[in-house]
């Protein structure tokens, strides 16, 4: 397949300005004639929908939650990055660009990464104007803190609730347009398929989750802002409802899937306590600003943490990465924790955790200062675990978290299907092989507020003569029939195993074979195991209830079926990339001291997978060209 990234010509710092200057426009009178569908009401979806409706377009907004406020952006904790240099510590747009590109192990486009850093400057002012209560210093100025992978303070935060506060800002903008008639809001509706007519995205098929009705909705353009697929691991920091179905079904209609194996394992989750758990709780990376991570130097040490003297503690991040210490990037911090745990130095009842210790920070700053910065996180930790982190260290462990991979998009955030755009975590565009902390809220907001309003106009300028989109066409009819046939099939398998059984099973395969570490033998075995599991699903899954009523098991069955296909592509993507980079750590490709060994000569590309049929995919490669920065060995020592 031929595909073009559409990166503008000219110097890096002028590309986005040049694009906006040359992009085509749609007049205010013509915007009223154009309909845009936005799937998802998180930060990317709500910001895009409200911005486009404010411009005069007719927008239809869909979410499967009962309120847009329940989108998973609400769960983000630690902060949002912006290169404001408020701390006067040497930060700049260029330094943020370098940090992000390096943090992603030089596996992202320079132009996209630079634009992310450039647009970050406007986001903070936008959020403050919306009333987001960012943390402030005594004099009233906005405060900053550091996150992993950087040596400056560029992260703006609202205690440990930054995602929630940013989402409330975009939600208010969304509901303002709903009340003014610019947005038609459809809650409790799930997208089940994308409709492609004459080569263009022309609408969606959705299911009303309350009554089971299947509906057709047409539009001149469709935006997917449906988040990532990290919940494929079952145990993750994501809510149970998070899924990858919207982007996967678009992939099966012709949208390329990029870098699907690059999924992030977050280093500071609460550890798993038993097989009964369905999710894990994230503890903000911001805690690593003041918390020190360690394990006992003695293997299998059973003593209480406070009984272990300082000289018998291994502050392994400070030991291995002295330049960044406890603020090493997430992929490195997670692998280092796994190495210590696997070596027999893990702590806790399951020996699957490490300590995050605040005793030094409390001694130096005082308990009230720590409470001011992290109080709600400490309260949450105590409520869940029963332990007081002011008096003893937290116990943390790596957990599946974020998808760097997603739908392939060009510079305009459009997929390989004309008229289909993907924003935020639904696309692959900005993070490379590893996302730096506090860049996900940034990307979601930047995509929705500052990029999509320009790039959609450029596309929609050719749609002003299309007229209303007719949903009574063969393309819509065929898509609706396929959706109904799959629902009917799922309900009539009538096997003896629950949907959760299959979700847990595929999650375990991925954790063991395509998680923090991968190898050729394990990936080949994973593909074989997933193939068997998928066949078993069609024979033995049991979905109770009917399709004409509220049926959460039917919802899950469709999503898990998609996971079984996504999982295989993840493993195939990991298998073909014979190198280690970012979150993709192939055990065969590492330095003598256990660090990732990148292969720029053979693998400096974006893997973009084309769907041919069940189990059949074709790999396309988008070469990565580095004109501004020469890729270097990624070192945080």
């Amino acid at each position: 397949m031929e595909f073009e990234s559409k990166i503008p010509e000219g110097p890096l710092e002028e590309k986005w300005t040049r694009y906006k200057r040359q992009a085509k426009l749609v007049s205010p009178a013509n915007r009223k004639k154009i309909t845009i569908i936005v799937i998802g009401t998180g930060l990317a979806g709500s910001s895009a929908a409200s911005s486009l409706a404010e411009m005069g377009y007719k927008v239809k907004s869909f979410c499967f939650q009962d309120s847009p406020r329940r989108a998973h952006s609400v769960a983000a904790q630690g902060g949002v990055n912006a290169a404001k240099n408020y701390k006067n510590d040497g930060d700049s747009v260029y330094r943020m660009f370098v940090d992000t590109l390096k943090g992603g192990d030089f596996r992202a486009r320079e132009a996209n990464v630079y634009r992310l850093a450039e647009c970050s400057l406007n986001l903070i002012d936008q959020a403050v104007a919306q009333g987001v209560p960012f943390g402030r210093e005594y004099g009233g100025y906005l405060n900053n803190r550091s996150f992993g992978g950087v040596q400056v303070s560029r992260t703006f935060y609202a205690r440990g609730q930054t995602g929630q506060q940013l989402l409330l800002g975009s939600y208010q903008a969304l509901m303002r347009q709903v009340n003014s008639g610019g947005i038609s809001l459809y809650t409790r509706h799930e997208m089940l398929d994308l409709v492609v007519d004459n080569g263009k995205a022309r609408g969606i098929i959705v299911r009303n989750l309350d009554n089971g009705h299947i509906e057709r909705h047409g539009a001149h353009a469709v935006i997917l802002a449906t988040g990532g697929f990290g919940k494929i691991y079952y145990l993750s920091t994501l809510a149970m409802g998070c899924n990858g179905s919207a982007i996967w079904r678009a992939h099966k209609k012709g949208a390329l899937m990029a870098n699907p194996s690059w999924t992030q394992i977050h280093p500071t989750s609460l550890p798993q306590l038993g097989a009964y758990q369905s999710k894990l709780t994230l503890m903000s990376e911001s805690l690593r600003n003041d918390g020190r991570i360690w394990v006992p130097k003695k293997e299998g040490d059973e003593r209480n943490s406070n009984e272990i003297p300082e000289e018998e503690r291994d502050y392994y991040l400070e030991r291995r990465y002295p330049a960044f210490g406890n603020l090493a990037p997430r992929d490195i911090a997670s692998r280092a924790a796994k190495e210590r745990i696997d070596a027999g130095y893990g702590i806790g009842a399951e020996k699957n955790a490490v300590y995050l210790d605040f005793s030094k920070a409390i001694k130096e700053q005082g308990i009230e200062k720590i409470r001011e910065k992290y109080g709600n996180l400490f309260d949450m930790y105590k409520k869940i675990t029963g332990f007081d982190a002011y008096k003893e260290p937290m116990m943390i462990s790596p957990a599946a978290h974020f998808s760097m991979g997603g739908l392939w998009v060009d510079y305009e955030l459009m997929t390989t299907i004309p008229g289909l755009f993907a924003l935020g975590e639904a696309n692959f565009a900005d993070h490379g092989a590893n996302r730096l902390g506090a860049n996900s809220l940034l990307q979601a907001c930047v995509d929705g507020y500052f990029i999509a309003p320009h790039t959609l106009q450029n596309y929609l300028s050719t749609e002003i003569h299309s007229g209303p989109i007719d949903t009574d066409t063969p393309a819509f009819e065929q898509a609706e029939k396929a959706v109904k046939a799959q629902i009917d099939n799922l309900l009539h398998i009538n096997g003896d195993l629950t949907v959760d059984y299959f979700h847990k099973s595929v999650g375990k395969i991925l954790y063991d074979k395509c998680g923090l570490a991968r190898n050729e033998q394990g990936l080949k075995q994973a593909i074989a195991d997933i193939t068997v599991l998928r066949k078993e699903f069609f024979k033995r899954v049991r979905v109770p209830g009917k399709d004409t009523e509220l049926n959460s098991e039917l919802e899950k069955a469709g999503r898990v079926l998609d996971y079984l296909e996504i999982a295989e592509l993840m493993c195939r993507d990991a298998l073909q990339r014979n190198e280690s980079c970012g979150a993709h750590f192939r055990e065969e490709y590492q330095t003598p001291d256990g660090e990732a060994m990148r292969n720029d000569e053979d693998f400096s590309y974006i893997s973009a997978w084309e769907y041919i049929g069940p189990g059949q995919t074709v790999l396309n490669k988008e070469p990565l060209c580095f004109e501004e920065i020469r890729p270097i060995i990624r070192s945080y020592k």
Side-chain angles (χ1 to χ4, degrees), residues 72-85:
H72 200 62
S73 297
V74 74
Q77 298 170 341
V80 57
N81 287 333
K84 289 283 200 180
N85 196 31

Side-chain angles (χ1 to χ4, degrees), residues 378-510:
F378 277 59
D379 292 343
M380 182 172 69
Y381 180 82
K382 186 174 183 179
K383 184 175 182 179
I384 294 170
T385 68
F387 296 109
D388 187 345
Y390 293 111
K391 297 179 180 178
E392 57 185 297
M394 290 182 178
M395 290 184 287
I396 59 168
S397 183
H401 181 58
F402 187 89
S403 308
M404 280 78 68
L407 290 182
W408 183 93
V409 292
D410 58 24
Y411 190 75
E412 297 182 310
L413 305 186
M414 187 161 70
T415 70
T416 45
I417 299 176
L420 177 66
F421 294 77
L423 311 187
E425 196 179 350
N427 73 39
F428 84 102
D430 295 343
H431 307 298
N434 173 64
R435 176 176 68 79
L436 292 185
N439 269 353
S440 81
L441 293 180
L442 174 64
Q443 184 206 2
C445 290
V446 162
D447 283 0
Y449 285 128
F450 304 128
I451 299 176
H454 294 286
T455 60
L456 257 79
Q457 280 216 112
N458 189 58
Y459 170 77
L460 292 169
S461 64
T462 64
E463 292 292 318
I464 58 177
H465 301 298
S466 297
I469 301 302
D470 184 11
T471 59
D472 189 18
T473 65
F476 274 92
E477 183 178 354
Q478 183 179 359
E480 183 177 330
K481 281 184 177 179
V483 163
K484 289 181 176 179
Q486 176 169 299
I487 290 173
D488 187 63
N489 185 28
L490 290 172
L491 289 170
H492 285 86
I493 294 173
N494 202 29
D496 60 337
L497 295 174
T498 65
V499 175
D500 278 346
Y501 166 83
F502 290 96
H503 194 176
K504 289 178 182 178
S505 297
V506 72
K508 187 176 189 311
I509 292 171
L510 290 177

Side-chain angles (χ1 to χ4, degrees), residues 146-165:
S146 288
F147 260 55
V150 305
Q151 292 177 310
V152 297
S153 295
R154 69 164 64 103
T155 304
F156 294 78
Y157 62 93
R159 299 189 76 187
Q161 305 167 348
T162 314
Q164 180 189 56
Q165 298 304 323

Side-chain angles (χ1 to χ4, degrees), residues 304-333:
N304 181 280
S305 58
N306 290 336
E307 296 175 354
I308 301 175
E310 188 72 15
E311 62 273 13
E312 295 182 30
R313 301 179 178 187
D314 178 15
Y315 295 93
Y316 57 87
L317 287 179
E318 298 173 28
R319 168 172 57 82
R320 292 182 60 180
Y321 308 101
F324 284 73
N326 296 294
L327 286 176
R330 290 178 176 178
D331 59 322
I332 289 174

Side-chain angles (χ1 to χ4, degrees), residues 329-406:
R330 290 178 176 178
D331 59 322
I332 289 174
S334 291
R335 281 199 300 272
K338 181 181 185 297
E339 186 276 327
R340 290 289 82 194
I341 291 169
D342 290 348
Y345 297 92
I347 55 92
E350 302 292 326
K351 301 299 182 185
N352 61 348
V354 298
Y355 288 124
L356 180 60
D357 194 332
F358 289 85
S359 57
K360 186 173 185 288
I362 291 172
K363 183 178 180 180
E364 293 176 349
Q365 302 176 39
I367 193 170
E368 290 306 317
K369 187 66 176 179
I370 299 300
R371 196 186 306 276
E372 177 187 333
K373 290 192 282 188
Y374 311 112
N376 64 307
L377 296 170
F378 277 59
D379 292 343
M380 182 172 69
Y381 180 82
K382 186 174 183 179
K383 184 175 182 179
I384 294 170
T385 68
F387 296 109
D388 187 345
Y390 293 111
K391 297 179 180 178
E392 57 185 297
M394 290 182 178
M395 290 184 287
I396 59 168
S397 183
H401 181 58
F402 187 89
S403 308
M404 280 78 68

Side-chain angles (χ1 to χ4, degrees), residues 577-590:
R577 190 172 286 274
N578 294 323
E579 65 164 352
S580 291
C581 60
H584 171 66
F585 189 77
R586 282 284 295 270
E587 293 174 341
E588 305 97 319
Y589 307 102
Q590 56 181 303

